[in-house]
Amino acid sequence: FDAESRYSERSRRPIVNAEMIRTYVDLAGAFSGSKNARCASKYIQDNSNSPAETWIAMLSVLPYSNGGYALPFPELNGEVLLSKEAASFIGRDRLRGDMVWNERKVVVEYDSNVSHLDPSQHSYDKKRLTALELSGYKVISMTAQDFISVSSLDKAFSMIGKALGIRIREERLAKYHRLRQEILLRMKNSSSYVSLNNL
């Protein structure tokens, strides 16, 4: 069973990428909503493998005033080079994480309910965690439970901020609490929210 290879087989070549979208918005000139589109295009990130990862990445990097947590941009599905000990343990010299900050040695993984229903995948995930930790990485898991409320989201992202050595400003979180509630509501009302439980 090679979960890492099976995972990569599910990937598809994207129709567009972040740079293409930014270029289009810049070349399109003035149109209704163009100012907002240019602002939003700054936060588009490539290489998300699911709507759930996209939501988490969006919340990570958006400014407080847009309902986010103002964290540095991660590398989505970024590559982690393993230590010799970790490579020997798992049988490969590199892994990918859902969200990776290599400079800070932090990986955030989204654990869906489906992965826990597959014993082979669950076993492999535990080995991946061990390999990443043997390589000096702090691994933080997020689950669908973190999206139940704004307060649970705040706790999860505060943990990520702490791992990155960045203090999330609680006074700014309080100021934009209602905006994050609105984002969370939109997430739950969107067709992609099912991915938080099933992808």
Side-chain angles (χ1 to χ4, degrees):
F1 176 75
D2 190 340
E4 197 78 10
S5 296
R6 189 179 76 171
Y7 177 77
S8 64
E9 287 172 2
R10 295 202 303 264
S11 63
R12 298 289 186 271
R13 184 182 298 276
I15 298 173
V16 296
N17 59 37
E19 187 57 35
M20 291 168 66
I21 294 172
R22 283 189 282 267
T23 299
Y24 172 79
V25 172
D26 287 340
L27 294 177
F31 57 89
S32 178
S34 60
K35 184 177 180 180
N36 288 339
R38 288 188 180 88
C39 180
S41 70
K42 298 175 185 177
Y43 303 102
I44 297 172
Q45 301 172 72
D46 288 322
N47 300 325
S48 172
N49 275 340
S50 73
E53 290 178 20
T54 300
W55 281 114
I56 296 169
M58 177 189 74
L59 286 166
S60 296
V61 303
L62 282 175
Y64 294 113
S65 58
N66 289 119
Y69 293 88
L71 294 173
F73 279 73
E75 184 179 357
L76 300 187
N77 291 286
E79 191 172 78
V80 174
L81 297 178
L82 301 176
S83 66
K84 289 183 178 180
E85 181 184 11
S88 176
F89 170 74
I90 202 167
R92 60 180 73 241
D93 63 359
R94 63 197 67 205
L95 291 171
R96 291 190 179 275
D98 293 340
M99 293 170 57
V100 179
W101 291 265
N102 272 310
E103 290 185 2
R104 300 281 186 169
K105 290 209 162 189
V106 174
V107 173
V108 172
E109 297 274 72
Y110 179 72
D111 294 330
S112 70
N113 290 342
V114 167
S115 67
H116 297 300
L117 299 177
D118 184 336
S120 298
Q121 181 66 45
H122 182 64
S123 175
Y124 181 76
D125 287 345
K126 290 179 71 174
K127 290 189 71 173
R128 287 181 80 258
L129 173 61
T130 300
L132 290 167
E133 290 179 340
L134 284 172
S135 300
Y137 279 77
K138 170 71 174 178
V139 182
I140 298 171
S141 294
M142 294 189 73
T143 70
Q145 295 300 307
D146 293 316
F147 292 82
I148 289 176
S149 67
V150 172
S151 61
S152 61
L153 268 181
D154 288 349
K155 289 177 183 177
F157 278 99
S158 291
M159 188 182 302
I160 297 171
K162 183 177 181 180
L164 292 170
I166 297 170
R167 183 179 70 87
I168 289 187
R169 298 172 61 183
E170 293 183 6
E171 70 277 9
R172 298 299 298 276
L173 292 183
K175 182 177 181 180
Y176 296 106
H177 178 87
R178 184 175 297 178
L179 182 53
R180 293 196 312 290
Q181 278 187 318
E182 182 179 338
I183 289 174
L184 192 59
L185 180 62
R186 288 176 181 270
M187 288 170 60
K188 291 179 178 180
N189 288 338
S190 73
S191 59
S192 65
Y193 184 67
V194 68
S195 71
L196 293 171
N197 293 294
N198 296 327
L199 292 184

